[in-house]
Amino acid sequence: MMRVLGLETSCDETGVAVYDSELGLLAHRLYSQVDLHADYGGVVPELASRDHVRKLIPLIKEVLAAAHTQPQEIDAIAYTSGPGLAGALMVGAITGRSLAYAWGVPAMGVHHMEGHLLAPLLESEKPDFPFVALLVSGGHSQLLRVDGIGCYQLLGESIDDAAGEAFDKVAKMLHLDYPGGPQVAKLALQGNANAFAFPRPMLDRPGLDFSFSGLKTAVLTAYQQTPDYDNKKADIAASFEAAIVDTLVRKCERALKQTGLKRLVMAGGVSANLRLRTQLKDLAQRKRWQVFYPSPAFCTDNGAMIAYAGCQRLLVGQQENLAVTVKPRWPMTSLAPVNSLNNL
């Protein structure tokens, strides 16, 4: 048995959790910096780092109390060591490594996107390996074949803007509040998804890569050329969302056919999008495939996914040395496999 304290500080959310390898998730808390960055229309790295410093220790104390766990009952600490904002990552890494040293327990630096990838394994209905994974967030759009923890084959990725990044940029065009992605999705509920014929990028060619910069430009052009813009804003949002979702779903279908697999895992912030979930569920029902995704609370950045991912590696003896390092850029395919853990 292992009880792990997980820390997530890669960007603008401070996440803390306690995960027990036998009892499951004992407690988790998340503090969002949305209000802090709203006036700037995006994340200000220096402000993010300072806020993590202010919030992390109080959240750790709160989570330990909620988990009815004393520091001496913690067996290891997992923290996000990349990718992300360098300063924000350092806050979590230094705090995690310092507590591990003080408490005499091992520590593990976790890949942020591996945390997202494994988040569906926190649910009661878990996918078996192998499966195809769609990772969609503000910084990443990737399709991977997953044969086990650390056994990742990149099938396709965005060659420019990630899906979440495209959502945020379109939100700015439409003068919506930060964070933009959820605001676009909310506005889209009021619009006609067929009002604008936006392109479905790269579906007319083979392969599994994504490209959303052209779609973003098409939205900007529609915005500039629509005289009654205020009356069409919801239609633009709905048509844009439909184009993104159609593209992601058809690429997932292509990836499953290419690999011959029948299980799909979707994770990352954009995986909370209701239109995307609905269309993937419909696809899975038609094709007799299975689709898995985390509950909405674990779609965005959170400490639970870091505690869980770190626990799986710590259980087989992996840990960090005393040096504190972070990796703002870190290919997930470079991670070491956890061969002894196949189905969890």
Side-chain angles (χ1 to χ4, degrees):
M1 185 183 83
M2 177 172 286
R3 187 165 294 189
V4 178
L5 175 67
L7 311 178
E8 157 58 26
T9 64
S10 65
C11 190
D12 60 342
E13 289 166 320
T14 311
V16 180
V18 173
Y19 176 81
D20 188 286
S21 60
E22 291 189 2
L23 302 177
L25 185 63
L26 301 183
H28 70 98
R29 296 290 186 274
L30 183 69
Y31 172 76
S32 174
Q33 301 176 0
V34 166
D35 293 341
L36 177 67
H37 301 288
D39 290 342
Y40 304 96
V43 178
V44 180
E46 179 63 24
L47 294 181
S49 302
R50 292 181 182 183
D51 213 44
H52 286 309
V53 171
R54 184 171 65 91
K55 281 291 183 180
L56 188 53
I57 294 299
L59 273 182
I60 291 173
K61 292 179 179 179
E62 182 180 340
V63 168
L64 288 175
H68 304 289
T69 298
Q70 298 297 319
Q72 58 267 29
E73 296 177 279
I74 293 294
D75 299 306
I77 296 177
Y79 57 87
T80 305
S81 56
L85 302 174
L89 290 168
M90 284 299 294
V91 175
I94 290 174
T95 302
R97 199 67 197 81
S98 298
L99 288 177
Y101 182 78
W103 295 347
V105 298
M108 185 72 215
V110 174
H111 193 291
H112 177 77
M113 294 309 296
E114 182 172 61
H116 277 303
L117 172 66
L118 300 180
L121 296 175
L122 288 165
E123 305 298 325
S124 57
E125 186 178 355
K126 307 174 184 180
D128 293 327
F129 299 110
F131 54 77
V132 169
L134 172 67
L135 299 182
V136 276
S137 67
H140 298 82
S141 292
Q142 295 180 328
L143 279 165
L144 302 127
R145 178 187 171 113
V146 179
D147 289 294
I149 297 177
C151 300
Y152 310 131
Q153 177 188 352
L154 182 65
L155 303 174
E157 62 183 342
S158 180
I159 60 175
D160 41 55
D161 292 349
E165 185 180 2
F167 266 103
D168 290 339
K169 289 181 177 178
V170 166
K172 287 187 177 182
M173 294 179 199
L174 301 181
H175 306 291
L176 301 178
D177 293 335
Y178 170 85
Q183 297 299 324
V184 171
K186 182 179 180 180
L187 180 61
L189 294 174
Q190 307 169 30
N192 177 7
N194 298 313
F196 293 85
F198 291 138
R200 275 55 173 167
M202 298 186 73
L203 291 182
D204 59 346
R205 66 188 72 178
L208 296 171
D209 286 336
F210 303 98
S211 172
F212 296 115
S213 61
L215 174 58
K216 178 188 63 180
T217 302
V219 174
L220 178 61
T221 301
Y223 161 74
Q224 293 173 336
Q225 295 181 353
T226 301
D228 55 341
Y229 160 74
D230 287 334
N231 295 325
K232 294 293 185 181
K233 186 156 66 169
D235 290 343
I236 293 175
S239 300
F240 162 75
E241 182 188 50
I244 285 264
V245 169
D246 287 351
T247 302
L248 292 173
V249 170
R250 290 175 65 182
K251 290 285 186 174
C252 286
E253 181 178 10
R254 190 178 293 180
L256 287 164
K257 288 180 177 178
Q258 178 178 308
T259 59
L261 300 178
K262 298 183 181 297
R263 285 183 291 272
L264 174 71
V265 164
M266 177 177 64
V270 181
S271 68
N273 184 277
L274 292 179
R275 186 184 185 98
L276 179 58
R277 287 190 174 214
T278 299
Q279 289 199 16
L280 281 176
K281 181 180 179 181
D282 291 344
L283 173 67
Q285 288 178 343
R286 292 197 310 270
K287 300 291 186 179
R288 296 184 179 179
W289 294 334
Q290 292 178 290
V291 60
F292 302 85
Y293 32 70
S295 59
F298 300 133
C299 288
T300 56
D301 297 349
N302 62 87
M305 68 182 192
I306 301 304
Y308 179 85
C311 183
Q312 309 317 310
R313 292 184 174 277
L314 287 156
L315 281 170
V316 295
Q318 295 184 20
Q319 66 180 71
E320 305 290 348
N321 56 33
L322 288 176
V324 178
T325 59
V326 296
K327 302 174 183 177
R329 296 183 180 276
W330 188 8
M332 204 164 76
T333 50
S334 68
L335 294 175
V338 181
N339 293 321
S340 62
L341 297 175
N342 189 41
N343 288 291
L344 301 170

